[in-house]
Amino acid sequence: MAFNRLYKQIETLIRTDDEVADSIPCKSDILSLRECRKGGKTCDDLGLELLRCMAQYKVDTTEKIRQAIGVAKYNEYVKAMVEKHGKEKAEEIIAEPSEQLKDIEAYQVLHRV
């Protein structure tokens, strides 16, 4: 999936001094985490913020795609997912970006406590 390639690219950008293009989502979070890790510090807060930013990007992108393809095509997609995976699994797959964002935000709250 395209998101997996993007995540791998971001991991590489964090570990290297390669330039981070403006088109890469969460650029400032990537650069902040990179600098923090260079200092040999624990950067849990920054890492969690990057995860939250990427999850929000995934939710936003998924919504844009859904709007771009229209209701009819989206309903066809949902029907195909249900036929392929069953109703419960299809619902999980479709809701995954939003659920992932909620989980990360909850973990951030727990981490701060």
Side-chain angles (χ1 to χ4, degrees), residues 13-111:
L13 289 171
I14 292 168
R15 288 192 305 266
T16 66
D17 285 330
D18 294 347
E19 183 179 340
V20 180
D22 290 335
S23 61
I24 300 290
C26 309
K27 178 180 178 177
S28 64
D29 293 319
I30 294 167
L31 295 173
S32 296
L33 186 56
R34 178 193 286 175
E35 287 304 311
C36 181
R37 286 189 178 172
K38 281 183 182 177
K41 302 174 190 171
T42 57
C43 309
D44 294 343
D45 289 341
L46 294 173
L48 284 172
E49 187 56 32
L50 177 59
L51 282 176
R52 189 211 54 78
C53 181
M54 290 304 301
Q56 184 65 57
Y57 173 78
K58 189 174 182 179
V59 167
D60 294 345
T61 302
T62 301
E63 182 62 25
K64 286 178 188 173
I65 291 169
R66 190 178 71 153
Q67 289 175 357
I69 65 174
V71 174
K73 290 274 186 194
Y74 182 74
N75 288 340
E76 287 177 27
Y77 164 75
V78 170
K79 183 179 176 184
M81 292 294 287
V82 169
E83 288 173 0
K84 183 175 181 179
H85 299 286
K87 184 177 180 177
E88 285 184 26
K89 183 66 176 174
E91 288 173 354
E92 288 177 23
I93 292 169
I94 292 167
E96 186 264 338
S98 296
E99 292 300 316
Q100 189 177 51
L101 177 59
K102 289 177 192 174
D103 290 347
I104 291 168
E105 289 172 341
Y107 189 76
Q108 280 183 306
V109 170
L110 290 174
H111 180 73

